[in-house]
PDB file of all heavy atoms in Angstrom:
ATOM      1  N   ALA A  59      77.725  93.023 122.965  1.00 95.00           N
ATOM      2  CA  ALA A  59      79.176  93.202 122.849  1.00 95.00           C
ATOM      3  C   ALA A  59      79.757  92.259 121.807  1.00 95.00           C
ATOM      4  O   ALA A  59      80.690  92.626 121.090  1.00 95.00           O
ATOM      5  CB  ALA A  59      79.841  92.963 124.196  1.00 95.00           C
ATOM      6  N   VAL A  60      79.216  91.059 121.712  1.00 95.00           N
ATOM      7  CA  VAL A  60      79.681  90.094 120.708  1.00 95.00           C
ATOM      8  C   VAL A  60      79.401  90.620 119.307  1.00 95.00           C
ATOM      9  O   VAL A  60      80.277  90.603 118.435  1.00 95.00           O
ATOM     10  CB  VAL A  60      78.997  88.726 120.924  1.00 95.00           C
ATOM     11  CG1 VAL A  60      79.299  87.784 119.781  1.00 95.00           C
ATOM     12  CG2 VAL A  60      79.416  88.127 122.259  1.00 95.00           C
ATOM     13  N   VAL A  61      78.188  91.103 119.091  1.00 96.00           N
ATOM     14  CA  VAL A  61      77.816  91.635 117.780  1.00 96.00           C
ATOM     15  C   VAL A  61      78.651  92.869 117.458  1.00 96.00           C
ATOM     16  O   VAL A  61      79.143  93.022 116.336  1.00 96.00           O
ATOM     17  CB  VAL A  61      76.306  91.957 117.738  1.00 96.00           C
ATOM     18  CG1 VAL A  61      75.939  92.704 116.477  1.00 96.00           C
ATOM     19  CG2 VAL A  61      75.498  90.673 117.869  1.00 96.00           C
ATOM     20  N   LEU A  62      78.834  93.746 118.428  1.00 97.00           N
ATOM     21  CA  LEU A  62      79.620  94.951 118.210  1.00 97.00           C
ATOM     22  C   LEU A  62      81.075  94.618 117.899  1.00 97.00           C
ATOM     23  O   LEU A  62      81.678  95.221 117.005  1.00 97.00           O
ATOM     24  CB  LEU A  62      79.538  95.855 119.438  1.00 97.00           C
ATOM     25  CG  LEU A  62      80.175  97.224 119.312  1.00 97.00           C
ATOM     26  CD1 LEU A  62      79.495  98.011 118.200  1.00 97.00           C
ATOM     27  CD2 LEU A  62      80.074  97.965 120.618  1.00 97.00           C
ATOM     28  N   ALA A  63      81.638  93.646 118.595  1.00 96.00           N
ATOM     29  CA  ALA A  63      83.025  93.251 118.328  1.00 96.00           C
ATOM     30  C   ALA A  63      83.162  92.645 116.933  1.00 96.00           C
ATOM     31  O   ALA A  63      84.109  92.959 116.199  1.00 96.00           O
ATOM     32  CB  ALA A  63      83.495  92.247 119.390  1.00 96.00           C
ATOM     33  N   GLY A  64      82.226  91.792 116.560  1.00 96.00           N
ATOM     34  CA  GLY A  64      82.274  91.177 115.233  1.00 96.00           C
ATOM     35  C   GLY A  64      82.094  92.174 114.109  1.00 96.00           C
ATOM     36  O   GLY A  64      82.825  92.147 113.119  1.00 96.00           O
ATOM     37  N   LEU A  65      81.144  93.083 114.257  1.00 97.00           N
ATOM     38  CA  LEU A  65      80.918  94.088 113.222  1.00 97.00           C
ATOM     39  C   LEU A  65      82.085  95.067 113.118  1.00 97.00           C
ATOM     40  O   LEU A  65      82.452  95.491 112.020  1.00 97.00           O
ATOM     41  CB  LEU A  65      79.619  94.846 113.500  1.00 97.00           C
ATOM     42  CG  LEU A  65      78.331  94.086 113.227  1.00 97.00           C
ATOM     43  CD1 LEU A  65      77.131  94.922 113.646  1.00 97.00           C
ATOM     44  CD2 LEU A  65      78.231  93.688 111.779  1.00 97.00           C
ATOM     45  N   THR A  66      82.659  95.420 114.251  1.00 97.00           N
ATOM     46  CA  THR A  66      83.813  96.322 114.234  1.00 97.00           C
ATOM     47  C   THR A  66      84.995  95.667 113.547  1.00 97.00           C
ATOM     48  O   THR A  66      85.673  96.291 112.719  1.00 97.00           O
ATOM     49  CB  THR A  66      84.191  96.733 115.667  1.00 97.00           C
ATOM     50  OG1 THR A  66      83.060  97.362 116.272  1.00 97.00           O
ATOM     51  CG2 THR A  66      85.360  97.684 115.673  1.00 97.00           C
ATOM     52  N   ALA A  67      85.249  94.413 113.876  1.00 97.00           N
ATOM     53  CA  ALA A  67      86.366  93.706 113.237  1.00 97.00           C
ATOM     54  C   ALA A  67      86.141  93.560 111.743  1.00 97.00           C
ATOM     55  O   ALA A  67      87.080  93.728 110.947  1.00 97.00           O
ATOM     56  CB  ALA A  67      86.538  92.333 113.882  1.00 97.00           C
ATOM     57  N   SER A  68      84.912  93.278 111.351  1.00 97.00           N
ATOM     58  CA  SER A  68      84.608  93.163 109.923  1.00 97.00           C
ATOM     59  C   SER A  68      84.793  94.496 109.214  1.00 97.00           C
ATOM     60  O   SER A  68      85.392  94.563 108.137  1.00 97.00           O
ATOM     61  CB  SER A  68      83.168  92.691 109.714  1.00 97.00           C
ATOM     62  OG  SER A  68      83.013  91.392 110.191  1.00 97.00           O
TER      63      SER A  68
END
Side-chain angles (χ1 to χ4, degrees):
V60 171
V61 171
L62 187 61
L65 286 176
T66 302
S68 294

